[in-house]
Amino acid sequence: MMSHLLVEIITEILSQLPVKSLLCFFCVSKSWYALIKHLDFIKLHLHRSIETNRDRTLILEKVTDGLPHYCYSVHFPTENHFDKAFKLYQPLYRRGKLVSILDCCHSLVCIHHFTLEIHHCTDEIAIWNPLIQKYRILPPEPMSKPSGLNFSKYNEIAFGYDLCNDDYKVLRVIAFYNRGQPLKEFEVKVYSLRWHSWRKIEEQWPKKECTVSSNSVSLNGALHWSIAEDTPYDMDIPLRAECLLAFDLATEKFLVFKTSVQREVELGTCLEVLKGQLCFIVTPDLGAEIDVWLMKEYGEASSWTQICKIERGSVPWTFKYCKPLMFSKNEKKILLEMRRHNLTKLVWYEIEKNRCEGVEIQNLPHWFRTATCVGSLLLLDGDNVIDPDKAEEQEEEE
Amino acid sequence: MSNTSENPNPSSSSAKMTLKTSDNELFEVEEAVAMKFCTVKQYFEDEKDSDVAARGSTTVIPLPNVHSAVLTMLISYGKKLPQSNAVADNHEEEETKKKERKKYEQGLLKNLMPGELLDLISAANYLDFKEGLEFFNQALADHIQNKSVEYVRKFFGIKNDYEPHEEEKYREEYAWAFEGIECWLIGELKQFMAKTKTLDIAGTLLGIKPALIVASFSVRGLNSLDSNILKPEMIAPGENILAAWINAIGPTGLDSNT
């Protein structure tokens, strides 16, 4: 029996382990601890996780009465096997407060505690690694309200990965305006996880009046939104969304690129990343089909291809909102989250056969929003997520 | 015992190479398979004359770090991989071959002792056999995934250099990660020891530092028959011994036997 395996081989073997095992193996010896904790190893491990979809987990945000409460995690190592849903305490959990998931990027989730008061922006944002239960709260960053404008609101917050600088960033755009008037001034700031600090960006939110008509996604080192350029308001002409707005996290510049697909803004548009390509799904009202479009070549407007038409008739329940989560390995099926008031279902939809198959998961909440992430040891030096119920139990025991 | 490889396709190149293992066994291997061992490939590329067919079967390539049992397994795994000189298969044939390979891999792993995995990995690394290394690394990762820390230490021969209180503190902090880990049992330890061990005479080794220390409980000297002989004639390690025993019962039948 060999007792001296080369360090390179041990590194290789360890990089193929799920996060839970690695946390245990910290205890094996001090040299293993140093090996696993090293940033280069963590990056190698994350890279493997992304390639092989290891430790792939669904993070579900339970929704009650329209307001998000707490999270569940569902680990699913293979497409056909979904583990039981586990209740997950997220770091900003405070009784009675509302926390929601902004976005998931690789293995990190950005969560946001928001208040319903529009005039007063005292939000807390945190970046969280749910698989190792560590997090970091972003330092509070004041906004500089220009004189003459009395109201402010969050125009946009987005979370993404900067490829060039190997950093995770949060973008915050606040709009200032006077009551009854259009949004006037914008303040754009970016937080960097690596430097744990905010910076103001000189680049302006595009001056052209535009309405954001989708959630944000991070791809190729940039954040993306689907936007509609504001046209003079006319009841008869529905607002059409034609463009994609992108913010390059490295160059910190906004770019607009056209899509060749036009659709009405009132319809729910959901932007996602599937197999490394931008995808959007347009959910019109009851009765119509749902179109799924994929941008085959990044940046090339003509490369938008319709890959799927989901017929409502093929789905045995009504739903309002539909979000794609991922392709199956053979790319013949898409995992969809279908949501309506008080009910969410996860479904595998077969593209060619137009058939759907519900996914059975134990302990699932009725109504939730979904995000997917993989496993990594990022944020190992962050704060521990304390489970408030367990903390109370311990206090009682003492 | 020499292993002659079968040639299923007589029309393809049947150049063979001879590999010699650490225990002086000779293996005749098809060129396509042997070339997957990059170390072997390098051996030929280093030579100016690249006419393998002529030289292949006559040159014997020494592999002093690889035992015959290990090489047998690596060669049979190599044969199951898609051959670089094979005719391109259509999609269906490719799928069938993939399934066959998966089945073979599962069978291979079932019969493998975990300790043998380590030998396979070392050998695959020495031979620079990329596909084999990847496969066995993954197999080993899967094997240790849910094992306890103690098992992993014993398996890799790693000494625990933590203070007990340090380890305790860590285990408390991450208690949730330790749930569901298999406990290391004596049975498992016995299971992964290789079935046979051979002793090699290393000869006289000079200049080893630091000098080996005799344990406090060992006998040191004065031969009982002839008191002129001050030092013991033979000395052997007295701790963490792998001893041979029959079946699962140690010499005194106690679990505390090492």
Side-chain angles (χ1 to χ4, degrees), chain B residues 39-89:
Chain B
T39 312
V40 172
K41 192 171 167 190
Q42 199 63 47
Y43 187 91
F44 272 96
E45 281 170 4
D46 283 346
E47 303 290 313
K48 296 216 173 94
D49 181 0
S50 55
D51 186 1
V52 175
R55 302 177 61 241
S57 45
T58 52
T59 321
V60 174
I61 303 170
L63 303 174
N65 287 354
V66 184
H67 192 268
S68 56
V70 173
L71 190 61
T72 316
M73 278 196 264
L74 289 178
I75 291 174
S76 60
Y77 184 72
K79 284 193 198 158
K80 292 286 177 177
L81 293 172
Q83 305 297 332
S84 46
N85 59 349
V87 175
D89 300 317

Short mmCIF file of all heavy atoms in Angstrom, two decimals, chain B residues 39-89:
data_model
loop_
_atom_site.label_atom_id
_atom_site.label_comp_id
_atom_site.label_asym_id
_atom_site.label_seq_id
_atom_site.Cartn_x
_atom_site.Cartn_y
_atom_site.Cartn_z
N THR B 39 4.33 7.69 -21.05
CA THR B 39 5.73 7.43 -20.73
C THR B 39 6.34 6.49 -21.77
O THR B 39 7.47 6.66 -22.20
CB THR B 39 5.85 6.78 -19.33
OG1 THR B 39 5.06 7.53 -18.42
CG2 THR B 39 7.28 6.75 -18.86
N VAL B 40 5.56 5.50 -22.18
CA VAL B 40 6.02 4.55 -23.19
C VAL B 40 6.16 5.26 -24.53
O VAL B 40 7.13 5.07 -25.27
CB VAL B 40 5.02 3.37 -23.31
CG1 VAL B 40 5.38 2.47 -24.47
CG2 VAL B 40 4.99 2.58 -22.02
N LYS B 41 5.17 6.09 -24.82
CA LYS B 41 5.18 6.85 -26.07
C LYS B 41 6.44 7.69 -26.15
O LYS B 41 7.11 7.75 -27.17
CB LYS B 41 3.93 7.74 -26.08
CG LYS B 41 3.63 8.37 -27.40
CD LYS B 41 2.26 9.03 -27.33
CE LYS B 41 2.06 9.95 -28.52
NZ LYS B 41 0.89 10.77 -28.38
N GLN B 42 6.73 8.33 -25.02
CA GLN B 42 7.91 9.19 -24.94
C GLN B 42 9.17 8.42 -25.21
O GLN B 42 10.09 8.88 -25.87
CB GLN B 42 7.96 9.80 -23.53
CG GLN B 42 8.84 11.03 -23.41
CD GLN B 42 8.33 12.16 -24.23
OE1 GLN B 42 7.15 12.48 -24.23
NE2 GLN B 42 9.21 12.76 -24.99
N TYR B 43 9.20 7.20 -24.71
CA TYR B 43 10.36 6.33 -24.87
C TYR B 43 10.68 6.14 -26.34
O TYR B 43 11.83 6.20 -26.76
CB TYR B 43 10.06 4.99 -24.20
CG TYR B 43 11.22 4.04 -24.12
CD1 TYR B 43 12.07 4.04 -23.02
CD2 TYR B 43 11.47 3.13 -25.14
CE1 TYR B 43 13.13 3.17 -22.93
CE2 TYR B 43 12.53 2.25 -25.06
CZ TYR B 43 13.36 2.27 -23.95
OH TYR B 43 14.41 1.39 -23.88
N PHE B 44 9.62 5.97 -27.15
CA PHE B 44 9.84 5.78 -28.58
C PHE B 44 10.14 7.07 -29.29
O PHE B 44 10.95 7.12 -30.21
CB PHE B 44 8.62 5.10 -29.23
CG PHE B 44 8.75 3.61 -29.15
CD1 PHE B 44 8.13 2.91 -28.13
CD2 PHE B 44 9.53 2.93 -30.05
CE1 PHE B 44 8.28 1.55 -28.03
CE2 PHE B 44 9.69 1.56 -29.95
CZ PHE B 44 9.06 0.87 -28.93
N GLU B 45 9.49 8.12 -28.84
CA GLU B 45 9.71 9.39 -29.52
C GLU B 45 11.13 9.89 -29.30
O GLU B 45 11.69 10.63 -30.09
CB GLU B 45 8.68 10.43 -29.07
CG GLU B 45 7.36 10.19 -29.77
CD GLU B 45 6.23 11.02 -29.20
OE1 GLU B 45 6.52 11.83 -28.30
OE2 GLU B 45 5.10 10.85 -29.65
N ASP B 46 11.69 9.46 -28.17
CA ASP B 46 13.05 9.86 -27.88
C ASP B 46 14.05 9.22 -28.84
O ASP B 46 15.11 9.77 -29.13
CB ASP B 46 13.43 9.49 -26.44
CG ASP B 46 12.80 10.46 -25.45
OD1 ASP B 46 12.34 11.52 -25.90
OD2 ASP B 46 12.78 10.16 -24.25
N GLU B 47 13.70 8.02 -29.28
CA GLU B 47 14.60 7.30 -30.20
C GLU B 47 14.48 7.92 -31.59
O GLU B 47 13.42 8.32 -32.02
CB GLU B 47 14.19 5.82 -30.27
CG GLU B 47 14.18 5.14 -28.92
CD GLU B 47 15.59 4.94 -28.38
OE1 GLU B 47 16.45 4.48 -29.13
OE2 GLU B 47 15.80 5.26 -27.19
N LYS B 48 15.57 7.94 -32.32
CA LYS B 48 15.51 8.58 -33.63
C LYS B 48 14.74 7.73 -34.63
O LYS B 48 14.03 8.22 -35.48
CB LYS B 48 16.93 8.81 -34.14
CG LYS B 48 17.70 9.78 -33.28
CD LYS B 48 18.64 10.68 -34.06
CE LYS B 48 19.23 11.71 -33.10
NZ LYS B 48 20.54 11.27 -32.55
N ASP B 49 14.91 6.45 -34.53
CA ASP B 49 14.28 5.56 -35.48
C ASP B 49 12.82 5.32 -35.05
O ASP B 49 12.55 4.65 -34.07
CB ASP B 49 15.05 4.24 -35.52
CG ASP B 49 14.45 3.28 -36.52
OD1 ASP B 49 13.45 3.64 -37.17
OD2 ASP B 49 14.98 2.17 -36.63
N SER B 50 11.88 5.88 -35.81
CA SER B 50 10.49 5.79 -35.34
C SER B 50 9.72 4.65 -35.99
O SER B 50 8.51 4.64 -36.02
CB SER B 50 9.78 7.11 -35.60
OG SER B 50 9.90 7.41 -36.98
N ASP B 51 10.43 3.71 -36.52
CA ASP B 51 9.74 2.60 -37.16
C ASP B 51 9.34 1.57 -36.10
O ASP B 51 10.07 0.64 -35.80
CB ASP B 51 10.66 1.97 -38.20
CG ASP B 51 9.93 0.89 -39.01
OD1 ASP B 51 8.72 0.68 -38.74
OD2 ASP B 51 10.56 0.29 -39.87
N VAL B 52 8.18 1.81 -35.57
CA VAL B 52 7.76 1.00 -34.43
C VAL B 52 7.55 -0.45 -34.80
O VAL B 52 7.92 -1.36 -34.07
CB VAL B 52 6.45 1.58 -33.85
CG1 VAL B 52 5.91 0.69 -32.76
CG2 VAL B 52 6.70 2.96 -33.31
N ALA B 53 6.95 -0.64 -35.94
CA ALA B 53 6.58 -2.00 -36.32
C ALA B 53 7.79 -2.92 -36.34
O ALA B 53 7.74 -4.06 -35.90
CB ALA B 53 5.91 -1.99 -37.69
N ALA B 54 8.88 -2.35 -36.82
CA ALA B 54 10.09 -3.19 -36.90
C ALA B 54 10.70 -3.39 -35.53
O ALA B 54 11.15 -4.48 -35.19
CB ALA B 54 11.09 -2.53 -37.84
N ARG B 55 10.69 -2.32 -34.75
CA ARG B 55 11.42 -2.41 -33.49
C ARG B 55 10.55 -2.84 -32.32
O ARG B 55 11.03 -3.35 -31.34
CB ARG B 55 12.04 -1.05 -33.15
CG ARG B 55 12.98 -0.54 -34.22
CD ARG B 55 13.51 0.83 -33.88
NE ARG B 55 14.24 0.81 -32.63
CZ ARG B 55 13.91 1.50 -31.55
NH1 ARG B 55 12.85 2.25 -31.55
NH2 ARG B 55 14.63 1.43 -30.45
N GLY B 56 9.25 -2.56 -32.47
CA GLY B 56 8.33 -2.77 -31.34
C GLY B 56 8.47 -4.10 -30.64
O GLY B 56 8.59 -4.18 -29.43
N SER B 57 8.45 -5.14 -31.42
CA SER B 57 8.42 -6.43 -30.73
C SER B 57 9.79 -6.86 -30.26
O SER B 57 9.91 -7.82 -29.50
CB SER B 57 7.81 -7.49 -31.65
OG SER B 57 8.38 -7.33 -32.92
N THR B 58 10.80 -6.14 -30.68
CA THR B 58 12.12 -6.59 -30.23
C THR B 58 12.58 -5.81 -29.00
O THR B 58 13.26 -6.35 -28.14
CB THR B 58 13.18 -6.41 -31.33
OG1 THR B 58 13.09 -5.05 -31.80
CG2 THR B 58 12.91 -7.35 -32.48
N THR B 59 12.19 -4.51 -28.94
CA THR B 59 12.65 -3.73 -27.79
C THR B 59 11.80 -4.03 -26.57
O THR B 59 10.59 -4.15 -26.66
CB THR B 59 12.50 -2.23 -28.08
OG1 THR B 59 12.85 -2.01 -29.42
CG2 THR B 59 13.35 -1.42 -27.14
N VAL B 60 12.48 -4.14 -25.47
CA VAL B 60 11.75 -4.36 -24.22
C VAL B 60 11.82 -3.08 -23.41
O VAL B 60 12.90 -2.58 -23.12
CB VAL B 60 12.39 -5.52 -23.43
CG1 VAL B 60 11.72 -5.65 -22.09
CG2 VAL B 60 12.28 -6.82 -24.22
N ILE B 61 10.69 -2.55 -23.07
CA ILE B 61 10.67 -1.30 -22.30
C ILE B 61 10.54 -1.62 -20.82
O ILE B 61 9.58 -2.28 -20.41
CB ILE B 61 9.49 -0.43 -22.73
CG1 ILE B 61 9.59 -0.16 -24.23
CG2 ILE B 61 9.49 0.88 -21.96
CD1 ILE B 61 8.36 0.48 -24.79
N PRO B 62 11.49 -1.16 -20.04
CA PRO B 62 11.43 -1.49 -18.61
C PRO B 62 10.51 -0.53 -17.86
O PRO B 62 10.53 0.67 -18.10
CB PRO B 62 12.89 -1.28 -18.17
CG PRO B 62 13.44 -0.27 -19.11
CD PRO B 62 12.67 -0.36 -20.39
N LEU B 63 9.69 -1.09 -17.00
CA LEU B 63 8.83 -0.27 -16.15
C LEU B 63 9.09 -0.66 -14.70
O LEU B 63 8.34 -1.44 -14.11
CB LEU B 63 7.35 -0.52 -16.50
CG LEU B 63 6.95 -0.28 -17.96
CD1 LEU B 63 5.51 -0.72 -18.18
CD2 LEU B 63 7.09 1.19 -18.32
N PRO B 64 10.16 -0.14 -14.14
CA PRO B 64 10.58 -0.62 -12.82
C PRO B 64 9.61 -0.26 -11.69
O PRO B 64 9.68 -0.83 -10.62
CB PRO B 64 11.93 0.08 -12.61
CG PRO B 64 11.91 1.25 -13.52
CD PRO B 64 11.06 0.89 -14.68
N ASN B 65 8.72 0.69 -11.93
CA ASN B 65 7.81 1.07 -10.85
C ASN B 65 6.45 0.43 -10.93
O ASN B 65 5.56 0.77 -10.17
CB ASN B 65 7.61 2.59 -10.87
CG ASN B 65 8.85 3.30 -10.38
OD1 ASN B 65 9.79 2.66 -9.93
ND2 ASN B 65 8.86 4.61 -10.48
N VAL B 66 6.28 -0.45 -11.90
CA VAL B 66 4.94 -1.02 -12.07
C VAL B 66 4.98 -2.53 -11.90
O VAL B 66 5.77 -3.21 -12.52
CB VAL B 66 4.38 -0.69 -13.48
CG1 VAL B 66 2.96 -1.19 -13.61
CG2 VAL B 66 4.45 0.80 -13.72
N HIS B 67 4.09 -3.02 -11.06
CA HIS B 67 4.00 -4.45 -10.80
C HIS B 67 3.10 -5.10 -11.85
O HIS B 67 2.21 -4.45 -12.39
CB HIS B 67 3.41 -4.66 -9.40
CG HIS B 67 3.53 -6.04 -8.91
ND1 HIS B 67 2.54 -6.98 -9.10
CD2 HIS B 67 4.54 -6.68 -8.26
CE1 HIS B 67 2.91 -8.12 -8.58
NE2 HIS B 67 4.12 -7.98 -8.06
N SER B 68 3.32 -6.39 -12.11
CA SER B 68 2.59 -7.07 -13.18
C SER B 68 1.07 -7.06 -12.95
O SER B 68 0.29 -6.86 -13.87
CB SER B 68 3.07 -8.50 -13.34
OG SER B 68 2.96 -9.18 -12.11
N ALA B 69 0.66 -7.27 -11.70
CA ALA B 69 -0.79 -7.31 -11.43
C ALA B 69 -1.43 -5.99 -11.82
O ALA B 69 -2.51 -5.93 -12.39
CB ALA B 69 -1.03 -7.61 -9.96
N VAL B 70 -0.72 -4.91 -11.48
CA VAL B 70 -1.24 -3.58 -11.78
C VAL B 70 -1.26 -3.33 -13.28
O VAL B 70 -2.24 -2.83 -13.83
CB VAL B 70 -0.39 -2.51 -11.06
CG1 VAL B 70 -0.80 -1.13 -11.48
CG2 VAL B 70 -0.51 -2.67 -9.57
N LEU B 71 -0.18 -3.74 -13.95
CA LEU B 71 -0.11 -3.50 -15.40
C LEU B 71 -1.20 -4.27 -16.13
O LEU B 71 -1.79 -3.77 -17.09
CB LEU B 71 1.27 -3.90 -15.93
CG LEU B 71 1.54 -3.45 -17.37
CD1 LEU B 71 1.47 -1.94 -17.49
CD2 LEU B 71 2.89 -3.95 -17.86
N THR B 72 -1.49 -5.48 -15.66
CA THR B 72 -2.56 -6.26 -16.30
C THR B 72 -3.85 -5.45 -16.30
O THR B 72 -4.52 -5.34 -17.33
CB THR B 72 -2.84 -7.56 -15.52
OG1 THR B 72 -1.62 -8.16 -15.16
CG2 THR B 72 -3.68 -8.52 -16.32
N MET B 73 -4.19 -4.88 -15.14
CA MET B 73 -5.44 -4.12 -15.06
C MET B 73 -5.41 -2.87 -15.93
O MET B 73 -6.38 -2.54 -16.59
CB MET B 73 -5.72 -3.74 -13.61
CG MET B 73 -6.35 -4.88 -12.86
SD MET B 73 -7.07 -4.33 -11.34
CE MET B 73 -5.76 -4.71 -10.22
N LEU B 74 -4.27 -2.20 -15.94
CA LEU B 74 -4.18 -0.97 -16.73
C LEU B 74 -4.31 -1.29 -18.21
O LEU B 74 -4.96 -0.56 -18.96
CB LEU B 74 -2.88 -0.24 -16.45
CG LEU B 74 -2.78 0.43 -15.08
CD1 LEU B 74 -1.43 1.09 -14.89
CD2 LEU B 74 -3.88 1.46 -14.90
N ILE B 75 -3.69 -2.38 -18.63
CA ILE B 75 -3.77 -2.75 -20.05
C ILE B 75 -5.20 -3.11 -20.42
O ILE B 75 -5.72 -2.67 -21.44
CB ILE B 75 -2.83 -3.93 -20.37
CG1 ILE B 75 -1.38 -3.46 -20.26
CG2 ILE B 75 -3.10 -4.47 -21.77
CD1 ILE B 75 -0.38 -4.57 -20.43
N SER B 76 -5.85 -3.90 -19.58
CA SER B 76 -7.22 -4.28 -19.94
C SER B 76 -8.14 -3.06 -19.92
O SER B 76 -9.07 -2.97 -20.72
CB SER B 76 -7.76 -5.40 -19.06
OG SER B 76 -7.76 -5.00 -17.73
N TYR B 77 -7.88 -2.09 -19.06
CA TYR B 77 -8.69 -0.86 -19.11
C TYR B 77 -8.39 -0.09 -20.38
O TYR B 77 -9.28 0.43 -21.04
CB TYR B 77 -8.42 0.01 -17.88
CG TYR B 77 -9.31 1.24 -17.86
CD1 TYR B 77 -10.67 1.13 -17.58
CD2 TYR B 77 -8.80 2.50 -18.16
CE1 TYR B 77 -11.49 2.24 -17.60
CE2 TYR B 77 -9.62 3.60 -18.17
CZ TYR B 77 -10.96 3.48 -17.90
OH TYR B 77 -11.77 4.57 -17.91
N GLY B 78 -7.10 -0.03 -20.74
CA GLY B 78 -6.70 0.69 -21.94
C GLY B 78 -7.36 0.14 -23.19
O GLY B 78 -7.72 0.88 -24.09
N LYS B 79 -7.55 -1.20 -23.20
CA LYS B 79 -8.15 -1.81 -24.40
C LYS B 79 -9.60 -1.38 -24.57
O LYS B 79 -10.12 -1.34 -25.67
CB LYS B 79 -8.10 -3.33 -24.27
CG LYS B 79 -6.76 -3.93 -24.53
CD LYS B 79 -6.88 -5.44 -24.71
CE LYS B 79 -5.51 -6.05 -24.52
NZ LYS B 79 -5.60 -7.46 -24.17
N LYS B 80 -10.26 -1.09 -23.45
CA LYS B 80 -11.68 -0.76 -23.54
C LYS B 80 -11.90 0.68 -24.00
O LYS B 80 -13.01 1.07 -24.31
CB LYS B 80 -12.35 -0.92 -22.17
CG LYS B 80 -12.44 -2.34 -21.72
CD LYS B 80 -13.51 -3.08 -22.48
CE LYS B 80 -13.53 -4.53 -22.06
NZ LYS B 80 -14.56 -5.30 -22.68
N LEU B 81 -10.84 1.47 -24.00
CA LEU B 81 -11.01 2.86 -24.39
C LEU B 81 -11.09 2.97 -25.90
O LEU B 81 -10.57 2.13 -26.60
CB LEU B 81 -9.82 3.69 -23.88
CG LEU B 81 -9.72 3.82 -22.37
CD1 LEU B 81 -8.41 4.49 -22.02
CD2 LEU B 81 -10.88 4.63 -21.84
N PRO B 82 -11.73 4.04 -26.40
CA PRO B 82 -11.75 4.21 -27.86
C PRO B 82 -10.33 4.33 -28.38
O PRO B 82 -9.52 5.07 -27.85
CB PRO B 82 -12.52 5.53 -28.07
CG PRO B 82 -12.81 6.06 -26.75
CD PRO B 82 -12.50 5.07 -25.71
N GLN B 83 -10.02 3.54 -29.42
CA GLN B 83 -8.65 3.51 -29.94
C GLN B 83 -8.46 4.65 -30.91
O GLN B 83 -9.32 4.93 -31.73
CB GLN B 83 -8.40 2.18 -30.65
CG GLN B 83 -8.69 0.96 -29.80
CD GLN B 83 -7.81 0.87 -28.58
OE1 GLN B 83 -6.68 1.35 -28.59
NE2 GLN B 83 -8.31 0.28 -27.52
N SER B 84 -7.30 5.29 -30.83
CA SER B 84 -7.08 6.46 -31.68
C SER B 84 -6.92 6.08 -33.14
O SER B 84 -7.17 6.87 -34.03
CB SER B 84 -5.85 7.24 -31.22
OG SER B 84 -4.81 6.33 -30.97
N ASN B 85 -6.54 4.81 -33.42
CA ASN B 85 -6.35 4.47 -34.82
C ASN B 85 -7.56 3.70 -35.38
O ASN B 85 -7.54 3.20 -36.47
CB ASN B 85 -5.08 3.63 -35.01
CG ASN B 85 -5.14 2.34 -34.18
OD1 ASN B 85 -6.04 2.19 -33.34
ND2 ASN B 85 -4.23 1.45 -34.40
N ALA B 86 -8.62 3.63 -34.59
CA ALA B 86 -9.79 2.87 -35.05
C ALA B 86 -10.58 3.67 -36.06
O ALA B 86 -10.55 4.89 -36.07
CB ALA B 86 -10.66 2.52 -33.85
N VAL B 87 -11.32 2.97 -36.88
CA VAL B 87 -12.20 3.63 -37.85
C VAL B 87 -13.31 4.33 -37.08
O VAL B 87 -13.81 3.79 -36.11
CB VAL B 87 -12.80 2.56 -38.79
CG1 VAL B 87 -13.81 3.18 -39.73
CG2 VAL B 87 -11.69 1.86 -39.56
N ALA B 88 -13.68 5.52 -37.53
CA ALA B 88 -14.72 6.27 -36.79
C ALA B 88 -16.04 5.51 -36.82
O ALA B 88 -16.50 5.07 -37.86
CB ALA B 88 -14.89 7.64 -37.43
N ASP B 89 -16.64 5.35 -35.66
CA ASP B 89 -17.90 4.61 -35.60
C ASP B 89 -19.06 5.54 -35.84
O ASP B 89 -18.97 6.73 -35.61
CB ASP B 89 -18.09 4.02 -34.20
CG ASP B 89 -16.96 3.07 -33.86
OD1 ASP B 89 -16.58 2.28 -34.71
OD2 ASP B 89 -16.47 3.17 -32.72
#
